[in-house]
Amino acid sequence: MRGSFGQHFKLTIFGESHGSAIGMVIDGIPAGTPIDEETIARDMARRAPGSDPTATSRREPDKVKIVSGLFEGCATGTPLCGLIENMNTHSGDYAQLRAKMRPGHADYAGQIKYDGFNDPRGGGHFSGRITAPLVFAGSIARQLLAAKGIAIGAHIASICDVSDDVLDPVHISANTLSQFQNNRFPLLDPAKEAPMREAVAKAKAEFDSVGGVIECAAVGVPAGIGSPFFGSVESVASQLLFSIPAVKAVEFGDGMAISSMRASRANDAMRYEEGCVRCLTNHNGGVTGGITNGMPIVLRAAIKPTPSIARKQQTVDLSTGENTTLSITGRHDPCIVPRAAVVIESALAIALCELMMDDAATKQAFPIGEGVRPQG
Amino acid sequence: MRGSFGQHFKLTIFGESHGSAIGMVIDGIPAGTPIDEETIARDMARRAPGSDPTATSRREPDKVKIVSGLFEGCATGTPLCGLIENMNTHSGDYAQLRAKMRPGHADYAGQIKYDGFNDPRGGGHFSGRITAPLVFAGSIARQLLAAKGIAIGAHIASICDVSDDVLDPVHISANTLSQFQNNRFPLLDPAKEAPMREAVAKAKAEFDSVGGVIECAAVGVPAGIGSPFFGSVESVASQLLFSIPAVKAVEFGDGMAISSMRASRANDAMRYEEGCVRCLTNHNGGVTGGITNGMPIVLRAAIKPTPSIARKQQTVDLSTGENTTLSITGRHDPCIVPRAAVVIESALAIALCELMMDDAATKQAFPIGEGVRPQG
Amino acid sequence: MRGSFGQHFKLTIFGESHGSAIGMVIDGIPAGTPIDEETIARDMARRAPGSDPTATSRREPDKVKIVSGLFEGCATGTPLCGLIENMNTHSGDYAQLRAKMRPGHADYAGQIKYDGFNDPRGGGHFSGRITAPLVFAGSIARQLLAAKGIAIGAHIASICDVSDDVLDPVHISANTLSQFQNNRFPLLDPAKEAPMREAVAKAKAEFDSVGGVIECAAVGVPAGIGSPFFGSVESVASQLLFSIPAVKAVEFGDGMAISSMRASRANDAMRYEEGCVRCLTNHNGGVTGGITNGMPIVLRAAIKPTPSIARKQQTVDLSTGENTTLSITGRHDPCIVPRAAVVIESALAIALCELMMDDAATKQAFPIGEGVRPQG
Amino acid sequence: MRGSFGQHFKLTIFGESHGSAIGMVIDGIPAGTPIDEETIARDMARRAPGSDPTATSRREPDKVKIVSGLFEGCATGTPLCGLIENMNTHSGDYAQLRAKMRPGHADYAGQIKYDGFNDPRGGGHFSGRITAPLVFAGSIARQLLAAKGIAIGAHIASICDVSDDVLDPVHISANTLSQFQNNRFPLLDPAKEAPMREAVAKAKAEFDSVGGVIECAAVGVPAGIGSPFFGSVESVASQLLFSIPAVKAVEFGDGMAISSMRASRANDAMRYEEGCVRCLTNHNGGVTGGITNGMPIVLRAAIKPTPSIARKQQTVDLSTGENTTLSITGRHDPCIVPRAAVVIESALAIALCELMMDDAATKQAFPIGEGVRPQG
């Protein structure tokens, strides 16, 4: 917990927004895994802020430097450490950051947690920038999964009050998902891009920001991955998803909506289809009893609006012990939702690697012979 | 993961629905903690099926027997193991359970996971019955928290399409929460009980079942608990909440709804109130940056409708490799939502104990002297 | 840590000497593993006190009752909980146990640790009796290992100043090791039994006790198991070995003696032997760089003399705050070394299961194709 | 496990001998801990190879660069990553390293473990150089411990067949231990330096190397730290000690020797001394029942002779599948024992931080009021 995740595909992240570098260590990449640094660069670019008007104008190339665990293009099997230099850090005067608490941010909670010793510059370790190491790790996880025919992709399900179409949870194709990866504004219905951008622009013009929802899916995951209870697919994925700073809700399958259905609708009827067990519907999002059932895994994560806004807000000044107001200036994203798509994908990819390794640990170390086996 | 949770308040659960006993081990109860077995019994009774018409007619007294870790009424500090005997087990013929997969259940996923060796009787380890040890552990966690002035309670936010009022996230009182604990059908608006029961009765009469939503809150939690990223309050709580078999969505604060707000509304403005930092609103549900901010913690969990229904469903027969139909007979809950309230509370209580212990581990082992400290 | 070990073959132990039961939970037994309860009983009997004059006259049948995780003779794959009832508990007056600290025992350290709330009867959770669940778990681990052709056995290397022969670390046979398992006084040189027993009898007659050394080996372990650093074979095995109450030293290979060798002797020269890489010597005990090299794993553990002796000892009385003397009466082992052999074997077996599962987690979840591979 | 240790003071190490950098991440340093980089540099220098004739002539300044977790001289409380650049890397042709297995090294075990993908240059991740991050982490751990009055120090107990005096385990002073820290050849009896150096020089002249024993102690550790079983002081410390590449044996207190004592001698009699409970002897090395008893913690670790020697050795060539011989040229330590002292100290320091944090997690999160408490 805290800065580390996992028992098999072990990930440790570190760094502050305005420190010299941020990065991560993965312990558990199988020796011999080819690490494609171009794929990593492409995934990093999807998260990086750039010239898109929905994002901050800061330029962070987010170039990854692997300092260990890689030899001649392949993972060595020992811990892989990757660094991302912080280049564009205008720290300025941060005394105010210690004093005036930005609403919606971790400022106040963080100062109590760390007794006022946390790095306040640019949000420090609470910065959304620390999701860059998560994307780095996720990119490696996805390369592992891809070799087993597993594809992961996410689109913008909504920004503010503008919604994209929803994925058909029964018939998601790997092709659809991989197209999302080539698009910095991934949508099922391209016609929604204009109104979404308009909503962002309008908020920005009013010194405000907007949130949205990311819908993410994985196809090709075999049935039987995950465990009941604390190692359920939902438990492990949600631990990672909720570690992403702006996420406030996570749904699997029909999520909240399933609570108002009757079982006769919510239960996914099963049938044989070309010798394979399939479900006719996928209200459970590919997971029953915490374990994959072979259907696409489908989840949604709610992203709250970026808390940094220029509009005047009421807050407290810890240095004076008095109430005050605050207008946050500087370069901030009026909407981080498009950049969040690859972060959500990364969280799911890391969770699946961890769970597939957990499955292999018991099943493959001591493979059994015969038994009362299902015909799945 | 799998059957174990936590690094400080370490919980291991075990058992199958029709085995000789189910139970749990907690390693990490502070030595000297008085364990009130009557409180445990009261919490267990809230989860236990009984005579309520929304629940199964099975009688499971769920009497807990503590076999270790308790001496003269207090925790010894060494692992506490508690057992709950399985008394009312009509296993009957379970060959059909191996063959005909119940839609919405873990049957198929579980057989693949465990190569067909899992105990199929009564759902085995996938049974909702295995939430009893969770409630047991949660009851002990709540006794610890109560000694620090922390109260946790949950009400039925909705059953099917009938909704209760919502908690005012800013002004939740410990009293409101503790009243929920004395009620097997906890509601803010008692007038909703009748239409909710009606919805259940109607579904039952139609050989169907319904789900719902539980809203849960904790008050009295100090600011500064939790960590950024993988040890965030949301990450740790959601790992536990999604381990509850029927949960398909988890929201903190305004959850999914926050995604369509602008920051000017979603950000919780702060002010001094009698020398304490408070928020004017609580859209973030008491957690910012993964860390508690001193406001009530508020979350909601979606409970899917009980998958066991008498209505005929399409499914597969693994023994024949053919499609078939299935009508599930026996005693099943047409709605588990009222029984789920205490399970959700337990998950939150366990998460908070874990996180408060994590906080103490670093802060209290090597207490620091002076520093640039906030005045919170 | 504390009462739990492992991330793959996860073991949790619990219980106090005079509580109602002691036991353990293993989470990670592969589904379908046949659990032979007779083998468990045989292993438990090797640890149990009996009629042997070196041991206490208490009778503890140590019959194991499996309450979960077992169905129709095979592991279900979900957590397996086993209980051992405490039958023969003469607690008597334990106020003195709280007051007069037995030298060499955990009494004083334990009371400080647990603020005086630990169960003092019969040593409570510190009792050597709590190694029974370790043997239970070890017996299951050995059944897994045996199916892969791995044999583990231990003999009494010494009792007091009487030494057995040492294993030839290069040519240990599975047969030799399995013969140890059929003997409650396992020795390479049977002629040493008489002088060893004499040393025990002499100490007993003088109201004293003796310790000894257990030498343990495993054959058939493939090369490549374990990791550099914290997951080394020595690190993982020693964590388990030192958890056994009386163990004060652990050596691998030549252990302490290797420190006075030169490398020209200590280095194990390698050669091809029937196409396999073998070492001509085995000073490293089958482990180099923390990883198995295919040679037998050989270790020794020092067992201190049982601290409970009838001879008068100087100690403190915490109830009066004064110095006092103590003569420990009751049934105590004058020598636990013969009973410890199976406990040491169990620790090694559990470590190997954990490490083999760790190996499978990365290698088997994402099997690689070709590469610059050694011809080993 | 593998590259990570701990649940409270979480350490992750990474790097290969000839990669761009090695390093570590610590997650769990209390916010506000002043990090004295000069003290770190001093500790690093004790491990670094230098001009001492017992060590390699390679120059590795081992300058540490902290890239996260530090702000204005104090720990932020978030993960601290430190890097050590690899400067002096003569990789040359490493094809031979893949082929000819160096006896006593991890070459063969490592190639099997990592399917031949590990970095072979300079030992890669198996290099003793990877103990530098351990010393880095240990230096921070010691700064934490020092603030609580805990001192740790180690001396050379023996090199080859030349022994230093042994520490008086009852009367070790913090002063003695801190003097060890100021000496790159720490001894109790300075007259032993000459014969020790002579033994090293003689071995070197004969193209050979020697090992030795490090004795390490900690004073000031309060009673009550550690847990029975898997979290015992010995279990946790030995996991770290055996992670050090050359360590083949670990003893606590009298270690192997206690096995031939009778309890009347091995038991440490207790008495009140100026109101405190003390032991008259310290055969248990300050730990009983896995828990500290307030006496000095004393341990010894056996260091095997450096396996890299110029003398011709028999080995295998994996590229040809034939037997061959090998003479290892290059700059190698004829004796690493003096450099190992600070590494052993570091392992103990990290273990104690972890265990003290574990203790605080339960005791301080929910402090209890009254109880049957000992008067210790």
Side-chain angles (χ1 to χ4, degrees):
Chain A
M1 300 191 188
R2 293 190 227 143
S4 295
F5 167 84
Q7 302 187 328
H8 313 280
F9 189 84
K10 301 185 189 193
L11 172 62
T12 299
I13 59 174
F14 56 84
E16 284 87 26
S17 184
H18 289 203
S20 63
I22 60 176
M24 52 107 235
V25 184
I26 309 175
D27 184 9
I29 307 173
T33 304
I35 304 292
D36 182 352
E37 301 199 48
E38 276 184 41
T39 300
I40 295 173
R42 188 204 63 187
D43 286 335
M44 296 304 286
R46 292 172 63 204
R47 196 214 68 89
S51 56
D52 192 288
T54 63
T56 164
S57 58
R58 280 173 291 133
R59 295 291 166 90
E60 292 162 345
D62 283 354
K63 196 172 151 32
V64 156
K65 184 188 171 193
I66 297 176
V67 301
S68 71
L70 185 75
F71 183 61
E72 298 184 333
C74 289
T76 59
T78 55
L80 183 148
C81 174
L83 296 175
I84 305 161
E85 219 178 317
N86 287 326
M87 311 244 282
N88 199 351
T89 56
H90 297 202
S91 290
D93 174 40
Y94 56 82
Q96 173 171 310
L97 293 170
R98 281 269 184 256
K100 288 195 177 184
M101 302 290 94
R102 294 171 302 166
H105 269 288
D107 293 3
Y108 175 71
Q111 287 216 33
I112 300 294
K113 172 74 181 175
Y114 297 114
D115 293 313
F117 287 100
N118 57 306
D119 183 344
R121 300 168 303 165
H125 189 59
F126 291 100
S127 169
R129 176 152 177 72
I130 314 306
T131 57
L134 213 62
V135 172
F136 184 177
S139 186
I140 290 174
R142 286 158 71 159
Q143 293 181 36
L144 283 169
L145 296 168
K148 295 206 91 164
I150 298 169
I152 295 178
H155 71 110
I156 303 168
S158 68
I159 283 182
C160 203
D161 54 358
V162 186
S163 297
D164 189 19
D165 293 347
V166 293
L167 286 164
D168 171 353
V170 177
H171 300 103
I172 298 166
S173 74
N175 193 39
T176 300
L177 299 181
S178 63
Q179 280 175 351
F180 292 154
Q181 297 177 21
N182 298 323
N183 199 327
R184 295 190 72 168
F185 210 99
L187 289 169
L188 283 167
D189 176 5
K192 296 298 169 59
E193 181 166 347
M196 284 182 176
R197 288 191 181 277
E198 199 175 340
V200 176
K202 191 150 175 285
K204 187 180 184 181
E206 297 172 10
F207 307 110
D208 216 334
S209 72
V210 294
V213 173
I214 297 292
E215 186 176 51
C216 182
V219 296
V221 183
I225 303 302
S227 294
F229 297 97
F230 313 123
S232 79
V233 173
E234 294 108 324
S235 287
V236 174
S238 70
Q239 189 194 353
L240 284 157
L241 290 162
F242 276 119
S243 75
I244 302 167
V247 171
K248 296 301 285 186
V250 170
E251 302 188 317
F252 291 87
D254 284 351
M256 294 305 297
I258 209 169
S259 69
S260 57
M261 292 178 189
R262 284 194 177 177
S264 54
R265 183 176 160 210
N267 288 350
D268 298 309
M270 304 173 88
R271 64 169 173 187
Y272 277 104
E273 208 169 80
E274 292 170 24
C276 292
V277 173
R278 296 269 300 163
C279 295
L280 291 167
T281 54
N282 191 12
H283 299 289
N284 284 283
V287 184
T288 40
I291 298 172
T292 56
N293 61 14
M295 296 299 290
I297 298 175
V298 187
L299 62 87
R300 270 172 309 285
I303 313 288
K304 74 176 186 178
T306 334
S308 292
I309 52 175
R311 194 177 281 210
K312 190 158 75 177
Q313 299 179 83
Q314 286 189 286
T315 193
V316 294
D317 184 323
L318 296 182
S319 66
T320 62
E322 291 184 357
N323 292 326
T324 185
T325 59
L326 176 69
S327 295
I328 302 169
T329 54
R331 301 160 303 171
H332 296 287
D333 298 58
C335 180
I336 57 163
V337 179
R339 294 173 60 196
V342 70
V343 186
I344 301 293
E345 291 171 4
S346 298
L348 180 55
I350 294 165
L352 289 175
C353 275
E354 171 72 9
L355 291 168
M356 292 179 73
M357 287 180 171
D358 189 62
D359 196 60
T362 47
K363 279 192 189 154
Q364 303 297 329
F366 300 98
I368 49 172
E370 289 87 33
V372 187
R373 286 168 182 283
Q375 304 179 19
Chain B
M1 299 189 188
R2 293 190 227 144
S4 294
F5 167 83
Q7 302 187 328
H8 312 280
F9 189 83
K10 301 185 189 192
L11 172 63
T12 299
I13 59 174
F14 56 84
E16 283 89 27
S17 184
H18 290 203
S20 64
I22 61 177
M24 53 108 234
V25 184
I26 310 175
D27 184 9
I29 307 174
T33 304
I35 304 293
D36 181 353
E37 301 200 49
E38 275 184 41
T39 300
I40 295 173
R42 188 204 63 186
D43 287 334
M44 297 302 287
R46 292 172 64 203
R47 195 214 69 88
S51 55
D52 192 287
T54 63
T56 164
S57 58
R58 280 173 290 132
R59 297 291 166 90
E60 292 163 345
D62 282 353
K63 196 169 151 32
V64 155
K65 184 188 172 193
I66 297 176
V67 301
S68 72
L70 185 74
F71 182 60
E72 298 186 332
C74 289
T76 58
T78 55
L80 183 149
C81 175
L83 296 175
I84 305 160
E85 219 178 316
N86 288 326
M87 312 245 282
N88 201 349
T89 55
H90 298 201
S91 289
D93 174 38
Y94 55 82
Q96 172 171 309
L97 293 171
R98 281 268 183 256
K100 288 195 178 185
M101 301 292 94
R102 294 170 303 165
H105 270 287
D107 293 3
Y108 176 71
Q111 287 215 33
I112 301 295
K113 172 73 181 175
Y114 297 114
D115 292 313
F117 288 100
N118 56 306
D119 183 345
R121 301 168 301 163
H125 188 61
F126 292 99
S127 169
R129 176 152 178 71
I130 314 306
T131 58
L134 213 61
V135 172
F136 185 177
S139 185
I140 290 174
R142 286 159 72 158
Q143 294 181 37
L144 282 170
L145 295 168
K148 296 207 90 166
I150 298 168
I152 295 178
H155 72 109
I156 303 168
S158 68
I159 284 181
C160 204
D161 56 358
V162 186
S163 297
D164 188 19
D165 293 345
V166 293
L167 286 164
D168 171 353
V170 178
H171 300 104
I172 299 165
S173 75
N175 192 40
T176 300
L177 299 181
S178 63
Q179 280 175 351
F180 291 154
Q181 297 177 22
N182 298 322
N183 199 327
R184 295 190 74 166
F185 209 99
L187 289 169
L188 282 167
D189 176 4
K192 297 297 169 58
E193 180 165 347
M196 283 182 176
R197 287 192 181 278
E198 200 175 339
V200 177
K202 190 150 175 284
K204 187 179 183 181
E206 296 171 12
F207 307 111
D208 215 336
S209 72
V210 293
V213 174
I214 297 291
E215 186 177 51
C216 181
V219 296
V221 183
I225 303 302
S227 294
F229 297 96
F230 314 123
S232 79
V233 173
E234 294 108 325
S235 288
V236 174
S238 69
Q239 189 193 353
L240 285 157
L241 290 162
F242 277 118
S243 76
I244 302 167
V247 170
K248 296 302 283 188
V250 170
E251 301 188 318
F252 292 86
D254 284 351
M256 294 305 295
I258 208 169
S259 70
S260 57
M261 292 178 189
R262 284 193 177 179
S264 53
R265 183 176 160 210
N267 288 351
D268 298 309
M270 304 173 88
R271 63 169 174 186
Y272 276 104
E273 208 169 80
E274 293 171 21
C276 292
V277 174
R278 297 268 301 164
C279 294
L280 291 167
T281 54
N282 191 12
H283 299 289
N284 284 284
V287 184
T288 39
I291 298 173
T292 56
N293 61 15
M295 296 297 292
I297 297 174
V298 188
L299 62 86
R300 271 172 308 285
I303 312 289
K304 73 177 187 178
T306 333
S308 293
I309 53 175
R311 195 176 280 209
K312 190 158 78 177
Q313 299 178 84
Q314 287 188 286
T315 193
V316 295
D317 185 324
L318 296 182
S319 66
T320 62
E322 290 184 358
N323 293 328
T324 184
T325 59
L326 176 69
S327 295
I328 302 168
T329 54
R331 301 160 303 171
H332 296 286
D333 297 59
C335 179
I336 56 162
V337 179
R339 294 173 61 195
V342 69
V343 186
I344 301 292
E345 291 172 4
S346 297
L348 181 55
I350 294 165
L352 289 176
C353 275
E354 171 72 9
L355 291 169
M356 292 179 74
M357 287 180 171
D358 189 62
D359 196 59
T362 47
K363 280 191 189 155
Q364 305 296 330
F366 299 98
I368 49 171
E370 290 87 32
V372 188
R373 286 167 182 285
Q375 304 179 19
Chain C
M1 301 193 185
R2 294 190 225 145
S4 294
F5 167 83
Q7 302 187 327
H8 312 280
F9 189 84
K10 301 186 188 192
L11 171 63
T12 299
I13 60 174
F14 56 84
E16 283 88 27
S17 184
H18 289 204
S20 63
I22 61 177
M24 53 108 235
V25 184
I26 309 175
D27 184 11
I29 307 172
T33 304
I35 303 293
D36 182 352
E37 301 200 47
E38 275 184 41
T39 300
I40 295 173
R42 188 204 63 185
D43 287 334
M44 296 302 287
R46 291 171 65 205
R47 195 213 68 89
S51 54
D52 192 288
T54 63
T56 164
S57 58
R58 278 172 294 131
R59 298 290 167 87
E60 292 164 346
D62 282 353
K63 195 171 152 31
V64 155
K65 185 189 172 194
I66 297 176
V67 302
S68 71
L70 185 74
F71 182 61
E72 297 184 335
C74 289
T76 58
T78 55
L80 182 147
C81 175
L83 296 175
I84 304 161
E85 218 177 316
N86 288 327
M87 312 245 283
N88 201 350
T89 56
H90 298 200
S91 288
D93 175 37
Y94 54 83
Q96 173 171 309
L97 294 170
R98 281 267 184 256
K100 288 195 179 186
M101 302 291 92
R102 295 171 301 165
H105 269 288
D107 293 3
Y108 175 70
Q111 287 215 32
I112 301 294
K113 172 72 181 178
Y114 296 115
D115 293 313
F117 287 101
N118 57 307
D119 183 345
R121 300 169 300 163
H125 188 61
F126 292 100
S127 170
R129 177 153 176 70
I130 313 308
T131 58
L134 213 61
V135 172
F136 184 178
S139 185
I140 290 174
R142 286 158 72 158
Q143 294 181 36
L144 282 169
L145 295 168
K148 294 207 91 166
I150 298 168
I152 296 178
H155 71 110
I156 303 170
S158 69
I159 283 182
C160 204
D161 55 358
V162 185
S163 296
D164 189 18
D165 294 345
V166 293
L167 286 164
D168 171 353
V170 177
H171 301 103
I172 298 166
S173 74
N175 192 40
T176 300
L177 300 181
S178 64
Q179 280 175 352
F180 292 154
Q181 297 176 23
N182 297 323
N183 199 327
R184 294 189 74 167
F185 209 99
L187 290 168
L188 282 168
D189 176 3
K192 296 296 169 60
E193 182 167 349
M196 283 182 176
R197 286 191 181 279
E198 199 175 338
V200 176
K202 190 151 175 283
K204 187 180 185 182
E206 297 171 11
F207 306 111
D208 215 337
S209 72
V210 294
V213 173
I214 296 292
E215 186 177 51
C216 181
V219 296
V221 183
I225 303 302
S227 294
F229 295 95
F230 313 123
S232 79
V233 173
E234 295 108 325
S235 288
V236 174
S238 69
Q239 188 193 355
L240 285 158
L241 290 162
F242 276 119
S243 76
I244 302 167
V247 171
K248 295 302 284 187
V250 170
E251 301 188 317
F252 291 86
D254 284 351
M256 294 305 296
I258 208 169
S259 70
S260 57
M261 292 178 189
R262 283 193 178 179
S264 55
R265 181 174 161 213
N267 287 350
D268 298 310
M270 304 174 87
R271 64 170 174 187
Y272 276 103
E273 209 170 79
E274 293 169 23
C276 291
V277 174
R278 296 269 299 164
C279 295
L280 291 168
T281 54
N282 191 12
H283 299 289
N284 284 283
V287 184
T288 39
I291 298 173
T292 56
N293 61 14
M295 296 298 291
I297 297 175
V298 187
L299 62 87
R300 272 172 309 285
I303 313 288
K304 73 176 187 178
T306 334
S308 293
I309 52 176
R311 194 175 281 210
K312 190 158 77 176
Q313 298 178 84
Q314 285 188 288
T315 193
V316 295
D317 184 323
L318 296 182
S319 67
T320 62
E322 291 182 358
N323 293 326
T324 184
T325 59
L326 176 70
S327 294
I328 302 168
T329 55
R331 303 159 302 171
H332 296 288
D333 297 59
C335 179
I336 56 164
V337 178
R339 295 173 61 196
V342 69
V343 186
I344 301 292
E345 291 172 5
S346 298
L348 181 56
I350 294 165
L352 289 175
C353 275
E354 171 72 9
L355 291 168
M356 292 179 73
M357 287 180 172
D358 189 63
D359 196 60
T362 48
K363 280 193 189 154
Q364 304 296 330
F366 299 98
I368 49 173
E370 288 88 32
V372 188
R373 285 166 184 282
Q375 303 177 19
Chain D
M1 301 192 185
R2 294 190 226 146
S4 294
F5 166 83
Q7 302 186 327
H8 311 281
F9 189 84
K10 302 185 188 191
L11 172 63
T12 299
I13 60 175
F14 55 84
E16 283 87 27
S17 183
H18 290 204
S20 63
I22 61 177
M24 52 108 236
V25 184
I26 310 174
D27 184 10
I29 308 173
T33 304
I35 303 293
D36 181 353
E37 300 199 47
E38 276 184 41
T39 301
I40 296 174
R42 189 204 61 186
D43 287 335
M44 296 303 286
R46 292 171 65 203
R47 195 214 69 88
S51 55
D52 192 288
T54 63
T56 164
S57 58
R58 277 172 295 131
R59 296 291 166 90
E60 291 163 346
D62 282 353
K63 197 172 149 33
V64 156
K65 185 187 169 193
I66 297 177
V67 301
S68 71
L70 185 75
F71 183 60
E72 299 184 332
C74 289
T76 58
T78 55
L80 183 148
C81 175
L83 296 175
I84 305 161
E85 218 178 316
N86 289 326
M87 311 244 284
N88 201 350
T89 56
H90 298 201
S91 288
D93 175 37
Y94 54 82
Q96 173 171 307
L97 294 170
R98 282 268 184 254
K100 288 195 178 185
M101 301 291 94
R102 294 171 301 166
H105 269 288
D107 293 2
Y108 176 69
Q111 287 215 33
I112 300 294
K113 172 72 180 175
Y114 297 114
D115 293 311
F117 288 100
N118 57 306
D119 183 345
R121 301 168 302 163
H125 188 61
F126 292 99
S127 169
R129 177 152 177 72
I130 314 307
T131 58
L134 213 61
V135 172
F136 185 177
S139 186
I140 290 174
R142 285 158 72 158
Q143 294 181 37
L144 283 169
L145 296 168
K148 296 207 90 165
I150 299 169
I152 296 178
H155 71 110
I156 302 169
S158 69
I159 283 182
C160 204
D161 55 359
V162 186
S163 296
D164 189 17
D165 293 346
V166 293
L167 285 165
D168 171 352
V170 177
H171 300 104
I172 299 166
S173 74
N175 192 40
T176 300
L177 300 181
S178 64
Q179 280 175 353
F180 292 155
Q181 297 177 23
N182 297 322
N183 199 327
R184 295 189 73 168
F185 210 98
L187 289 169
L188 282 167
D189 176 4
K192 297 296 168 58
E193 182 166 347
M196 283 182 177
R197 286 192 181 277
E198 200 175 338
V200 177
K202 191 151 174 284
K204 188 180 183 181
E206 297 171 11
F207 307 110
D208 216 336
S209 72
V210 294
V213 173
I214 296 292
E215 185 176 53
C216 182
V219 296
V221 183
I225 303 302
S227 294
F229 296 96
F230 313 123
S232 79
V233 173
E234 293 108 325
S235 288
V236 174
S238 69
Q239 189 193 354
L240 285 157
L241 289 162
F242 277 119
S243 75
I244 301 167
V247 170
K248 295 302 286 187
V250 170
E251 301 188 318
F252 292 87
D254 284 350
M256 294 305 296
I258 208 169
S259 69
S260 56
M261 292 178 190
R262 284 193 177 178
S264 54
R265 182 175 161 212
N267 287 351
D268 297 310
M270 304 173 88
R271 64 169 174 186
Y272 276 103
E273 209 170 81
E274 293 170 20
C276 291
V277 174
R278 296 269 300 163
C279 294
L280 291 168
T281 53
N282 191 11
H283 299 289
N284 284 283
V287 184
T288 39
I291 297 173
T292 56
N293 61 14
M295 295 299 291
I297 298 175
V298 187
L299 62 87
R300 271 172 308 285
I303 312 289
K304 73 176 187 179
T306 333
S308 292
I309 52 176
R311 194 175 281 210
K312 190 158 77 177
Q313 299 179 84
Q314 286 189 288
T315 193
V316 295
D317 184 323
L318 297 182
S319 66
T320 62
E322 291 182 359
N323 293 327
T324 185
T325 59
L326 175 69
S327 295
I328 302 168
T329 54
R331 303 160 303 170
H332 296 287
D333 298 58
C335 179
I336 56 162
V337 179
R339 295 173 61 195
V342 69
V343 186
I344 301 292
E345 292 171 4
S346 298
L348 180 56
I350 294 165
L352 289 175
C353 276
E354 172 71 9
L355 291 168
M356 291 179 73
M357 287 180 171
D358 189 63
D359 196 60
T362 47
K363 279 192 187 153
Q364 304 297 330
F366 299 98
I368 50 171
E370 290 87 33
V372 188
R373 286 167 183 283
Q375 304 178 18

